[in-house]
């Protein structure tokens, strides 16, 4: 069964064509920096590797470019869209309506659209991906896999807010959690890796997903028990354009005293804050480059970013009552040795000892970057949300 996986992020599209159930990746690639002056595109098969920079204004243009490459006469991997039996879509927010993978119909699309207010940077891109895929792969089943599903195991003591009870019972206001496919994938791989390397206790793990969007999950016995993102994907860690945790009083001050409208505040906190608000750049590669050149704003922003991560490591170690391993993943977590170093510095109390040489190695392989004497394992595990989505799509259609 050939399945196309479309993972539309806030500023990127990752895609893979996978032959199931053997998990053979026929083609893979991504487009990032969507909406900026110059976007990056990659397209990789066994015999072809293309990397180019070109303007991609929005997700619709990006998805159509991907489809053209898949069916290109010279470098394509399919002759017709009829070869594709299913398209799996990552959808960020499923609210209380979705706790499982579902086949997409008009009712499902309407519910995803209703949830846009809870994930304004993501659900619109996810829905656009579905609509475009329905046009391009008209004969395929369209399947939605929700980021929130993995976090359904978060107990009520962690997912309930200290607000009037009716907001949960009637309006479903609670912590939902996000990046679930990523956290599920890397945590399962971490447990397998640790056991294969003779580690007996793998019950207490913190996964750290760092990209344009960022989140951390406390995982006990393979299940999510707490998570940094909540009702929407805006709180917790400092992100590319999102503020992360902020005192609610700031919002009231912006509206009542400074005269901002609610919509203006929402735009500010979602699209103009985070690393962009602190430095003028949303891409960490630009921020690290300028920090190395002495840019004080960039240096401070990186320190703030790592400081926030360290705070949650401490918090989640308390929740887990111990710590066996931390896992870095996603674009920044996998590639930024600088961020990993900042996070792991002065963390001796938690048993974290970073091997500086191992940390500097760039690799697409799962690896351990702690010293031999480190009590807590430090892992870098490339996430593969597409494989996780493909497995869920295949299992749904199989049953």
């Amino acid at each position: 069964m050939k399945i196309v996986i479309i993972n539309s992020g806030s500023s990127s599209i990752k895609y893979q064509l996978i032959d199931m159930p053997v998990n053979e990746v026929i083609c893979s690639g991504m487009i990032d920096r969507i909406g900026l002056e110059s976007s990056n595109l990659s397209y990789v098969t066994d015999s072809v590797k293309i990397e180019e920079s070109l303007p991609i204004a929005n997700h619709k243009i990006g998805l159509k470019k991907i489809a053209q490459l898949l069916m290109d006469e010279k470098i394509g991997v399919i002759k017709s869209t009829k070869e594709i039996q299913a398209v799996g879509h990552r959808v960020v927010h499923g609210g209380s309506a979705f706790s499982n993978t579902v086949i997409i119909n008009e009712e499902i699309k309407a519910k995803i659209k209703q949830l846009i207010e809870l994930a304004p940077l993501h659900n619109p891109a996810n829905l656009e991906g579905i609509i475009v895929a329905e046009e391009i792969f008209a004969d395929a089943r369209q399947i939605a896999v929700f980021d929130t599903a993995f976090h359904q195991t978060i107990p009520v003591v962690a997912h309930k807010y200290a607000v009037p009870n009716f907001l949960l019972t009637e309006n479903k206001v609670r912590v939902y959690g996000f990046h679930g496919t990523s956290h599920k994938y890397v945590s399962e791989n971490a447990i397998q890796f640790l056991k294969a390397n003779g580690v007996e206790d793998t019950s207490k793990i913190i996964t750290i997903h760092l990209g344009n969007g960022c989140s951390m999950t406390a995982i006990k016995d393979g299940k999510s028990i707490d998570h940094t993102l909540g009702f929407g994907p805006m709180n917790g860690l400092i992100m590319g354009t999102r503020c992360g945790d902020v005192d609610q009083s700031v919002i009231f001050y912006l509206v009542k005293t400074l005269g901002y409208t609610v919509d203006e505040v929402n735009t500010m906190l979602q699209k103009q804050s985070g690393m962009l608000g602190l430095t003028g750049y949303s891409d960490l590669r630009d921020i690290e480059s300028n920090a190395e050149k002495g840019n004080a704003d960039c240096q401070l922003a990186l320190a703030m970013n790592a400081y926030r991560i360290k705070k949650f490591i401490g918090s989640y170690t308390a929740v887990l009552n111990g710590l066996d391993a931390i896992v870095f993943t996603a674009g920044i977590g996998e590639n930024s040795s600088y961020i990993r170093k900042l996070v792991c510095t002065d963390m001796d109390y938690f048993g974290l000892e970073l091997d500086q040489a191992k940390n500097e190695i760039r690799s697409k392989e799962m690896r351990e970057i702690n010293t031999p004497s480190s009590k807590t394992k430090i892992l870098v595990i490339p996430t593969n949300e597409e494989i996780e989505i493909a497995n869920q799509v295949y299992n749904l259609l199989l049953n």
Side-chain angles (χ1 to χ4, degrees):
M1 180 185 294
K2 290 182 179 178
I3 301 174
V4 171
I5 305 301
I6 296 175
N7 182 348
S8 293
S10 56
S11 62
S12 66
I13 303 170
K14 291 191 286 185
Y15 64 94
Q16 290 188 13
L17 173 57
I18 302 174
D19 189 10
M20 296 295 292
V22 294
N23 278 341
E24 179 189 354
V25 178
I26 300 170
C27 172
S28 65
M30 73 176 297
I31 300 174
D32 67 2
R33 299 192 180 202
I34 292 174
L36 299 182
E37 290 183 3
S38 181
S39 305
N40 300 316
L41 179 146
S42 66
Y43 174 82
V44 180
T45 70
D46 286 341
S47 58
V48 175
K49 182 176 182 180
I50 294 175
E51 293 181 347
E52 60 178 303
S53 179
L54 70 168
I56 301 287
N58 54 51
H59 286 73
K60 185 172 184 178
I61 293 172
L63 286 163
K64 288 189 174 182
K65 177 66 176 177
I66 291 167
Q68 290 171 4
L69 289 169
L70 290 174
M71 294 183 289
D72 187 271
E73 289 184 2
K74 294 182 179 179
I75 61 171
V77 290
I78 57 174
K79 294 181 179 179
S80 167
T81 58
K82 293 182 182 296
E83 295 180 42
I84 305 302
Q85 292 154 288
V87 181
H89 299 268
R90 174 205 178 202
V91 180
V92 166
H93 210 312
S96 58
F98 303 107
S99 58
N100 295 299
T101 300
V102 297
I103 297 173
I104 297 169
N105 55 28
E106 292 303 316
E107 180 183 356
I108 298 298
K109 287 190 289 184
K111 288 182 179 179
I112 293 171
K113 187 174 182 179
Q114 289 173 3
L115 293 165
I116 282 176
E117 288 188 5
L118 302 185
L121 294 185
H122 296 88
N123 272 34
N126 303 154
L127 186 58
E128 185 72 19
I130 291 169
I131 293 169
V132 175
E134 285 177 329
E135 296 175 8
I136 298 169
F137 305 102
D139 297 316
R141 306 294 290 273
Q142 307 290 326
I143 313 292
V145 177
F146 296 91
D147 267 6
T148 47
F150 179 61
H151 301 297
Q152 293 298 306
T153 53
I154 295 176
V156 64
V157 69
H159 78 235
K160 185 175 182 178
Y161 292 113
V163 294
N165 287 329
F166 73 87
L167 287 172
L168 174 60
T169 57
E170 297 178 21
N171 304 109
K172 310 302 181 186
V173 174
R174 53 159 289 180
V175 170
Y176 285 104
F178 301 91
H179 300 137
T181 50
S182 176
H183 288 288
K184 182 176 186 291
Y185 179 84
V186 298
S187 62
E188 290 175 349
N189 277 271
I191 291 169
Q192 292 176 5
F193 177 87
L194 292 170
K195 288 182 176 178
N197 285 273
V199 179
E200 294 182 4
D201 197 349
T202 60
S203 62
K204 300 168 183 177
I205 294 174
I206 297 173
T207 49
I208 308 170
H209 178 108
L210 303 176
N212 193 53
C214 303
S215 66
M216 293 170 59
T217 303
I219 297 173
K220 190 169 186 178
D221 299 323
K223 295 182 178 180
S224 171
I225 65 165
D226 208 342
H227 183 74
T228 56
L229 294 170
F231 183 64
M234 189 167 69
N235 61 306
L237 304 180
I238 298 171
M239 295 171 252
T241 65
R242 284 167 276 172
C243 60
D245 283 348
V246 64
D247 183 350
Q248 298 92 327
S249 300
V250 172
I251 298 171
F252 301 130
Y253 177 75
L254 290 170
V255 173
K256 292 186 176 182
T257 304
L258 300 186
Y260 287 87
T261 67
V262 172
D263 286 342
E264 287 171 339
V265 172
N266 183 55
T267 298
M268 179 190 293
L269 299 184
Q270 293 267 18
K271 299 181 179 181
Q272 300 168 353
S273 297
M275 300 300 275
L276 176 63
L278 293 171
T279 69
Y281 305 98
S282 62
D283 193 294
L284 196 84
R285 290 165 291 192
D286 297 328
I287 297 168
E288 286 191 6
S289 174
N290 281 278
E292 290 176 1
K293 297 173 184 176
N295 185 307
D297 287 340
C298 291
Q299 292 171 347
L300 177 59
L302 291 168
M304 290 172 63
N305 190 305
Y307 181 80
R308 187 75 60 88
I309 295 168
K310 293 170 80 163
K311 284 177 65 175
F312 277 104
I313 289 175
S315 172
Y316 286 172
T317 301
V319 168
L320 291 165
N321 192 26
L323 185 60
D324 299 314
I326 65 170
V327 181
F328 289 97
T329 192
I332 294 170
E334 295 166 28
N335 297 304
S336 177
S337 59
Y338 187 76
I339 284 291
R340 294 194 300 261
K341 180 180 178 180
L342 286 179
V343 169
C344 295
T345 297
D346 296 327
M347 295 288 276
D348 311 63
Y349 186 79
F350 297 97
L352 295 168
E353 293 182 7
L354 186 71
D355 186 310
Q356 301 295 347
K358 289 180 180 178
N359 185 45
E360 292 300 327
I361 296 172
R362 293 185 69 92
S363 171
K364 294 184 178 179
E365 301 300 318
M366 186 186 318
R367 60 199 186 276
E368 187 177 308
I369 60 171
N370 52 270
T371 64
S373 60
S374 181
K375 294 180 180 179
T376 301
K377 298 295 184 183
I378 307 170
L379 305 180
V380 179
I381 301 181
T383 191
N384 198 325
E385 294 168 294
E386 291 74 28
I387 287 291
E388 179 62 35
I389 292 169
N391 285 326
Q392 294 190 37
V393 168
Y394 180 77
N395 290 332
L396 176 66
L397 295 180
L398 192 64
N399 297 321

